[in-house]
Amino acid sequence: MTYRELYLQGQEALKCADIEEASLDARLLLEYVCGTTRNELLLGGEREVTEGQIAQYLHFIGSRAKHIPLQHLTGTQNFMGLDFKVNEHVLIPRQDTEILVEEAMKHLHDGMRILDMCTGSGCILISLLHYSNDCTGVGVDISAEALTVARENADRLLKGKAEKISFVESDLFEDVEGQFDLLVSNPPYICSKVIETLMPEVREHEPLSALDGTEDGLYFYRRIVAESGKYLVPGGVLIFEIGYDQGKAVSDLMIQAGYREVQVLQDYAGLDRVVCGIKSRK
Ligand code: GLN
């Protein structure tokens, strides 16, 4: 069987299973199995594939047809140009979250201390430390399994800088110590009753504890805003990722808590995605 024939078979199987990006996922899985790049389909489509490759590919296609996320099969997701390991214990990093990282980078200076609340795979904090000089950070998560993934990502992606990052297993601020210049967080923010309407890839395979923001989706924002004052230095910056309809609610929470210059920022689709504000100096 040729590379192209195998690809077409995978594509067809995923289409029949109603997988949204059937062609893309069929190609990416084939590249993963064969260690090839996009060029292969264009230039090497007629080459023969081995029996082993066919078996492995069809196994992955079968899993993907059952709506297991592509990233759980390949074990990685690219975020900010870095390949993060992921599994079922962490939220798969989303491109939208890069908006938060880019905003945080505007506020970052040498020597700053960063706190990442609900760090998951560690993608936000590790990206910030990777692209900055001389900053240090603490990643917090309630899930020990998530922190295992985050630590592995930090060891691999921060190599020479691994001593700049540490992780704390904690229910929000409970076991967090010290003060920080920047607090970033992409907490669970989906309303409980919306979760059952999400695609099966998310609903059945991503950790519920990383998605569920309780009844109105705002539980974690309320708690983080209320306690953030103790952990941010005067003039420190708080930056949240939010759901598209939470801009007003989250900025109101921050304004009521005394944050100034509170701004809602949009993602590339023009939807509200990030809220940031500065802790008053008094
Ligand atoms: N901070 C992690 C991310 O952005 C995890 C977020 C979460 O678990 N809600 O991917």
Side-chain angles (χ1 to χ4, degrees):
M1 187 186 260
T2 68
Y3 188 89
R4 184 185 314 281
E5 284 165 351
L6 186 55
Y7 162 72
L8 292 174
Q9 186 177 333
Q11 183 191 46
E12 193 49 37
L14 295 187
K15 277 189 181 156
C16 287
D18 270 337
I19 300 300
E20 220 168 84
E21 304 258 26
S23 309
L24 178 67
D25 288 6
R27 178 170 67 75
L28 292 174
L29 282 172
L30 189 56
E31 289 167 6
Y32 177 69
V33 167
C34 298
T36 45
T37 65
R38 189 173 190 168
N39 282 340
E40 196 70 11
L41 208 51
L42 304 169
L43 304 171
E46 303 318 314
R47 81 168 168 89
E48 291 291 314
V49 279
T50 67
E51 289 302 319
Q53 287 170 333
I54 297 173
Q56 202 192 356
Y57 181 64
L58 294 180
H59 173 75
F60 281 139
I61 289 289
S63 301
R64 185 70 193 94
K66 289 190 201 126
H67 293 268
I68 296 177
L70 176 79
Q71 296 87 342
H72 287 180
L73 301 174
T74 61
T76 65
Q77 171 64 47
N78 191 277
F79 179 83
M80 295 298 299
L82 304 170
D83 281 327
F84 284 86
K85 173 194 157 141
V86 295
N87 62 23
E88 68 280 14
H89 299 298
V90 298
L91 193 80
I92 298 167
R94 307 296 206 263
Q95 211 177 357
D96 295 328
T97 305
E98 295 184 350
I99 305 279
L100 180 156
V101 173
E102 280 161 12
E103 182 58 26
M105 285 199 308
K106 295 183 197 160
H107 298 272
L108 215 51
H109 301 293
D110 283 1
M112 277 192 170
R113 264 169 68 75
I114 310 164
L115 180 65
D116 178 14
M117 185 52 79
C118 309
T119 197
S121 65
C123 63
I124 297 173
L125 182 61
I126 293 168
S127 302
L128 289 172
L129 294 180
H130 180 87
Y131 291 113
S132 64
N133 285 317
D134 207 24
C135 293
T136 55
V138 177
V140 177
D141 207 285
I142 195 169
S143 156
E145 289 95 343
L147 290 176
T148 302
V149 176
R151 281 194 188 98
E152 238 186 277
N153 280 322
D155 288 345
R156 195 168 30 81
L157 296 168
L158 291 178
K159 289 203 177 84
K161 297 188 188 174
E163 76 291 349
K164 301 206 178 276
I165 195 165
S166 59
F167 293 99
V168 180
E169 184 184 333
S170 167
D171 182 359
L172 295 178
F173 293 99
E174 208 166 275
D175 295 304
V176 176
E177 285 171 5
Q179 281 211 313
F180 299 85
D181 303 285
L182 181 62
L183 200 172
V184 288
S185 183
N186 176 21
Y189 59 68
I190 300 175
C191 302
S192 306
K193 63 176 185 315
V194 172
I195 289 183
E196 65 197 47
T197 69
L198 301 176
M199 30 196 314
E201 278 80 347
V202 181
R203 190 180 72 214
E204 286 164 23
H205 297 281
E206 293 204 74
L208 186 63
S209 60
L211 299 168
D212 193 347
T214 75
E215 221 161 288
D216 64 357
L218 298 172
Y219 174 82
F220 291 94
Y221 299 112
R222 280 195 201 94
R223 284 200 51 195
I224 295 169
V225 170
E227 295 176 50
S228 60
K230 244 172 78 185
Y231 296 89
L232 271 177
V233 300
V237 182
L238 173 59
I239 311 182
F240 281 122
E241 176 170 320
I242 54 156
Y244 72 96
D245 55 355
Q246 295 171 325
K248 169 129 180 38
V250 175
S251 41
D252 283 352
L253 285 173
M254 287 175 62
I255 292 166
Q256 279 157 22
Y259 281 87
R260 56 185 180 80
E261 293 174 47
V262 174
Q263 284 185 60
V264 181
L265 307 166
Q266 282 78 40
D267 60 24
Y268 295 118
L271 301 173
D272 288 351
R273 182 58 63 189
V274 164
V275 181
C276 67
I278 298 176
K279 186 184 156 181
S280 336
R281 290 196 178 270
K282 18 178 196 69

